[in-house]
Amino acid sequence: MALILNGDAELWAIVLLSLKVSIFAVLIAALIGMPVGAALAVARFPGRRAMIVLMNALMGFPPVVVGLLVYLMLSRSGPLGVLELLYTPTAMIIAQVVLVTPIVAALTRQVIEMLAEEYSEQLRSLGVSRLASVPVLLWDARLALITALLAGFGRAIAEVGAVIIVGGNINHVTRVMTTTIALETSKGNLALALALGAILIGIAIAVNAMVSAVSLRAEQEGLRHA
Amino acid sequence: MIRNFLRAALLSLGLAAPAFAEEPFIVVQSTTSTQNSGLLDYILPGFEAETGIDVRVVAVGTGQAIRNAVNGDGDVLLVHAKQAEDQFVADGWGVERFDVMYNDFVLVGPKSDPAKVKGGADIVAALTAVAEAEAPFASRGDDSGTHKAEMRHWTAAEVDPTAASGAWYRETGSGMGATLNVASGMDAYVLTDRATWQSFGNRGNLEVMVEGDPRLFNQYGVILVNPDKHPRVRAAAGQRFIDWLTGPDGQAAIASYKLDGQQLFFPNASGS
Amino acid sequence: MRDMLCDTASSLFVRNLRVVRNGKALLNVSRLSLDGPGPTLILGPNGAGKSLLLRCLHGLIEPDQGRVEQDGTPLTDRHKAQQAMVFQQPVLLRRSVAANLDFVLKRQGLPRGARKLRIESLLAEGGLEGKARQPARSLSGGEAQRLAILRALALDPETLFLDEPTSALDPNATQMIERMILRASSRGVRIVMVTHDIGQARRLAADIVMMQGGHVVEHGLAKQVLNAPQSDAARRYLAGGLVT
Ligand SMILES: Nc1ncnc2c1ncn2[C@@H]1O[C@H](COP(=O)(O)OP(=O)(O)O)[C@@H](O)[C@H]1O
Ligand SMILES: [Mg+2]
């Protein structure tokens, strides 16, 4: 605890990098996952069911496997080796995007599909086409979608298996909270590992507080789904 | 084109700065023992100050470090598994192998010492006693340099501990630190490099049982990843690091690193 | 019924309409004109097919046979755009009261200033002044239904369909909504409204369509149907309705 309170600069740099990487990953995952999820909720095409099943399966994909796949892509002997992204924060963002996008897409689909059911006749009555209904639904589901993004952020920031493979846990470059915890635990340095664990739990609590604040607001505004 | 775009986009986000910083850097694939012991944190600032080259260390098991280097994901390999290193060079992945330093392994175990091996200096006799007593033994079980060394000693003792896998012989499949945590938790014997042991903070009931056997000698080598195989290898900077590490400055730095007053690594580069 | 045609510019007509589900005809209406001199109220017991008919008229359901005609041609998208519908359960967007109205006005391409003025006058029309900023989903049942009607009126529809809009409301809220409907009717909006409330039919209807079992059993001027029903089904329904 003293470590946290003393505001050790190195420690805070690690916390900051963790936050940066995961926030960017979630933003990118939102840009990809939300339209995909909404499209799956609204559009009807062959293979849609299969895509939903696949997406739900990807939600539970083991991070280590994701890390390995991203490593194979970014390795100098992999197809994207020329980008020289391995062992950079960007590589960690990519791995987290792969982990989080299915979560965002799957939750978006669920939320939008429920809302679409409620809205569909009314929107058709107002002459809104299926395609034009997507932004309407996304906007009206905004609070539930924020909750989905926070869930994705929770998964991203607490993840270690993928980022340690593609980031390499390099001091001052790609060392984030979870990889530091892994390293310090392996050194038997349990105090520092626990201090970082406490910060991570603090972040988890903050995220959950935000989720419940969002839900409360939804309740007050009658935005809950029927 | 794409790369420039990415770089600009990421730089603007303040994220890629460490990755694309103008200061030159090399990636060293190394083992957890060099990093966890604190040796690299101690000696690298000297090199970085002298050359302006940032050394980025990826610390994994020896086996994985070599595989990563084969893929070209590193400029320099610094590990301790001589046979595998020679193979790496023979296969053309590395340019040339140089001795850097050695440390030694120790057998640690619980103070209660159920196999009665404390104070001995014969690792093979000690392992035989552990097997006979069926005393708990934690093994890396991860194909690392330490694991390979351990298996050599079992072979010499004519014991196949994997027959007792899951019983008294426990394979953690993880790094040295994680395996020490397991041993500390279950009062098991475990073979560890002295450096990791010396800096390990969670010893519990464990203490050194057997040390000083010449067969516990642990040689580190350094190799430049072959730029003929991977053109993007930062060969010049990597070679500079190797020259420094095996030269007088690097060797002196290694010798001067002490933990709790004890020297952990002994430089023995042939050039010095 | 053609003879009941009055000053409405266009005609709305149902020809040989059949909706079949699972081999059962849920709706079977051979001829029905919806061009009465004032509000047309559709009356009948639960399950009579009233909502189904309304959805067909609005083009939300494609009939299995027959068609709905406006001005002598099958219903087109342009026709549908001149219709609006208020559902039994108001479906309000999860936005403010004003934003619910703005959503419709924006789609009509009205400039910002005009939309603002229009929203103000609509809110006044529905007695929702001062509620513009309130989240629509936090309105009371009566307020929510009034907003749903205002949003429908914001489309400037030629025809307004209402499906039991007051069935869940108290007498006071019901009265406010009935007044809004009568005002719209007097402005020339064709009103086609489903109800199971005979009193409401008496208060609002110019003509009444009685339905049962997917059929139109009687259609005539309100006074005539309510006071001297011709069919047994209508007589029974009115008798039962009057008792309760
Ligand atoms: N999509 C559907 N599939 C099968 N049956 C339906 C469907 N929609 C309505 N029905 C049936 O059609 C009948 C008429 O329904 P409805 O028009 O809602 O009655 P109401 O007159 O009470 O509004 C009911 O028996 C209802 O169960
Ligand atoms: Mg109905």
Side-chain angles (χ1 to χ4, degrees):
Chain A
M1 281 307 129
L3 276 167
I4 303 178
L5 297 178
N6 289 349
D8 183 285
E10 198 142 320
L11 189 78
W12 288 117
I14 289 171
V15 173
L16 198 67
L17 181 65
S18 285
L19 290 172
K20 264 188 181 174
V21 165
S22 295
I23 287 172
F24 270 102
V26 167
L27 289 180
I28 295 169
L31 286 178
I32 304 169
M34 284 190 179
V36 168
L40 282 173
V42 174
R44 293 288 175 270
F45 54 90
R48 173 176 167 273
R49 276 278 128 208
M51 269 190 76
I52 290 172
V53 169
L54 179 75
M55 205 170 58
N56 288 335
L58 283 180
M59 244 165 87
F61 217 52
V64 179
V65 179
V66 169
L68 203 55
L69 292 175
V70 174
Y71 166 77
L72 290 173
M73 298 301 287
L74 298 183
S75 167
R76 272 191 191 144
S77 49
L80 301 178
V82 290
L83 297 177
E84 299 265 334
L85 289 176
L86 193 66
Y87 304 138
T88 66
T90 311
M92 297 195 286
I93 293 176
I94 292 171
Q96 291 192 353
V97 166
V98 174
L99 280 170
V100 172
T101 302
I103 296 178
V104 173
L107 292 178
T108 300
R109 184 199 62 85
Q110 268 177 27
V111 167
I112 297 296
E113 201 164 278
M114 251 163 58
L115 197 62
E117 201 166 301
E118 184 193 330
Y119 277 16
S120 109
E121 274 204 322
Q122 179 67 69
L123 289 181
R124 272 170 61 210
S125 168
L126 294 174
V128 181
S129 70
R130 233 179 235 281
L131 187 67
S133 73
V134 169
V136 180
L137 292 166
L138 282 174
W139 177 249
D140 276 29
R142 58 199 176 276
L143 290 184
L145 293 178
I146 288 173
T147 308
L149 290 188
L150 288 171
F153 177 77
R155 169 143 157 131
I157 195 132
E159 191 285 319
V160 61
V163 293
I164 207 164
I165 296 176
V166 302
N169 192 23
I170 296 170
N171 204 4
H172 305 306
V173 181
T174 56
R175 189 161 295 174
V176 291
M177 278 190 280
T178 53
T179 61
T180 309
I181 291 173
L183 175 66
E184 296 303 330
T185 304
S186 80
K187 286 195 205 170
N189 200 349
L190 303 189
L192 182 56
L194 283 175
L196 274 164
I199 295 176
L200 209 49
I201 290 170
I203 290 173
I205 290 172
V207 166
N208 278 295
M210 280 188 259
V211 168
S212 86
V214 166
S215 314
L216 186 69
R217 170 117 188 259
E219 199 116 28
Q220 282 163 355
E221 297 194 0
L223 297 185
R224 282 214 168 280
H225 302 296
Chain B
M1 174 53 203
I2 289 179
R3 196 175 154 197
N4 280 338
F5 172 77
L6 272 181
R7 178 188 301 207
L10 291 169
L11 271 177
S12 68
L13 301 175
L15 257 174
F20 292 118
E22 287 311 306
E23 89 183 278
F25 70 91
I26 55 171
V27 171
V28 175
Q29 288 284 350
S30 187
T31 65
T32 42
S33 55
T34 50
Q35 172 154 303
N36 287 10
S37 63
L39 172 73
L40 292 179
D41 286 342
Y42 175 78
I43 65 168
L44 289 181
F47 172 73
E48 287 164 359
E50 189 182 318
T51 62
I53 297 170
D54 186 27
V55 180
R56 299 185 178 175
V57 180
V58 177
V60 289
T62 294
Q64 198 191 331
I66 291 176
R67 274 192 296 279
N68 288 348
V70 165
N71 288 337
D73 298 320
D75 308 302
V76 171
L77 183 64
L78 174 63
V79 292
H80 57 98
K82 190 158 187 307
Q83 264 188 341
E85 292 162 40
D86 288 338
Q87 191 63 45
F88 178 79
V89 173
D91 291 344
W93 299 113
V95 176
E96 191 185 348
R97 181 190 174 284
F98 300 95
D99 279 337
V100 177
M101 61 191 179
Y102 69 88
N103 69 345
D104 63 339
F105 290 112
V106 293
L107 182 72
V108 303
K111 290 191 177 86
S112 58
D113 191 21
K116 303 275 169 285
V117 297
K118 187 169 166 66
D122 182 338
I123 183 63
V124 174
L127 288 184
T128 308
V130 167
E132 268 165 18
E134 301 199 346
F137 187 99
S139 167
R140 293 276 294 268
D142 65 348
D143 198 29
S144 58
T146 306
H147 182 229
K148 284 176 175 150
E150 179 205 315
M151 293 320 289
R152 276 201 305 278
H153 302 314
W154 285 117
T155 307
E158 291 176 9
V159 172
D160 176 15
T162 56
S165 181
W168 58 268
Y169 189 69
R170 300 292 172 93
E171 292 151 296
T172 65
S174 1
M176 196 67 255
T179 306
L180 279 171
N181 276 327
V182 169
S184 160
M186 59 188 282
D187 280 349
Y189 292 93
V190 58
L191 188 72
T192 172
D193 64 280
R194 189 188 294 274
T196 306
W197 168 251
Q198 200 69 33
S199 57
F200 187 69
N202 181 34
R203 294 183 185 179
N205 284 327
L206 301 182
E207 57 185 33
V208 173
M209 295 281 142
V210 176
E211 60 187 326
D213 187 327
R215 284 171 293 191
L216 291 173
F217 180 89
N218 182 31
Q219 179 67 45
Y220 284 80
V222 68
I223 306 171
L224 181 68
V225 177
N226 193 346
D228 293 342
K229 292 271 192 181
H230 296 289
R232 307 197 79 92
V233 165
R234 299 170 188 91
Q239 190 58 51
R240 252 187 113 176
F241 176 62
I242 292 173
D243 292 345
W244 180 84
L245 197 63
T246 56
D249 292 350
Q251 296 279 295
I254 292 169
S256 68
Y257 179 58
K258 292 196 173 63
L259 202 64
D260 298 335
Q262 192 168 2
Q263 182 176 346
L264 294 176
F265 293 90
F266 302 87
N268 66 344
S270 49
S272 63
Chain C
M1 284 290 114
R2 278 286 185 180
D3 50 336
M4 279 176 52
L5 262 179
C6 60
D7 52 354
T8 16
S10 70
S11 69
L12 187 60
F13 190 73
V14 170
R15 195 186 297 279
N16 298 327
L17 200 68
R18 271 172 73 87
V19 172
V20 182
R21 293 284 184 276
N22 307 322
K24 204 172 148 247
L26 298 178
L27 198 62
N28 193 348
V29 178
S30 53
R31 291 167 65 82
L32 177 65
S33 166
L34 293 145
D35 300 314
T40 299
L41 270 84
I42 303 174
L43 209 57
N46 279 329
K50 307 182 294 291
S51 296
L52 225 46
L53 175 61
L54 219 53
R55 283 181 165 78
C56 286
L57 289 170
H58 191 29
L60 291 175
I61 292 178
E62 278 303 313
D64 298 282
Q65 254 182 49
R67 62 193 194 200
V68 174
E69 290 173 5
Q70 190 155 358
D71 310 329
T73 70
L75 213 56
T76 62
D77 280 348
R78 212 175 51 78
H79 290 139
K80 285 183 205 168
Q82 287 164 358
Q83 302 178 338
M85 178 149 172
V86 173
F87 296 85
Q88 189 165 359
Q89 289 291 324
V91 182
L92 297 177
L93 300 177
R94 286 156 169 78
R95 309 176 184 192
S96 71
V97 167
N100 265 273
L101 299 173
D102 201 42
F103 177 76
V104 166
L105 298 173
K106 223 187 236 164
R107 288 181 53 79
Q108 292 174 318
L110 250 62
R112 201 186 163 78
R115 297 206 305 267
K116 232 184 128 192
L117 289 175
R118 188 77 208 284
I119 289 172
E120 263 169 38
S121 77
L122 281 165
L123 290 176
E125 158 71 17
L128 292 175
E129 306 98 326
K131 304 242 173 212
R133 305 251 136 263
Q134 193 172 325
R137 305 265 300 186
S138 65
L139 293 175
S140 74
E143 289 166 343
Q145 197 58 286
R146 260 143 58 202
L147 177 57
I149 293 171
L150 292 178
R151 191 177 55 188
L153 291 174
L155 288 165
D156 261 330
E158 204 177 278
T159 306
L160 177 61
F161 299 111
L162 302 107
D163 193 351
E164 305 201 33
T166 62
S167 63
L169 303 182
D170 67 29
N172 202 26
T174 301
Q175 194 185 41
M176 290 183 79
I177 285 177
E178 287 180 358
R179 286 192 183 140
M180 286 173 76
I181 292 167
L182 286 175
R183 280 199 296 272
S185 177
S186 69
R187 284 197 303 271
V189 180
R190 178 197 281 115
I191 303 288
V192 179
M193 172 167 163
V194 169
T195 185
H196 61 253
D197 177 349
I198 294 159
Q200 184 166 61
R202 202 179 288 283
R203 292 191 293 275
L204 298 184
D207 63 326
I208 288 178
V209 176
M210 283 293 290
M211 288 189 72
Q212 190 177 30
H215 295 271
V216 170
V217 292
E218 196 163 338
H219 183 196
L221 288 171
K223 275 205 182 76
Q224 194 183 319
V225 173
L226 291 172
N227 298 334
Q230 301 296 299
S231 65
D232 278 351
R235 262 197 293 277
R236 267 200 311 279
Y237 182 75
L238 291 170
L242 287 172
V243 169
T244 52

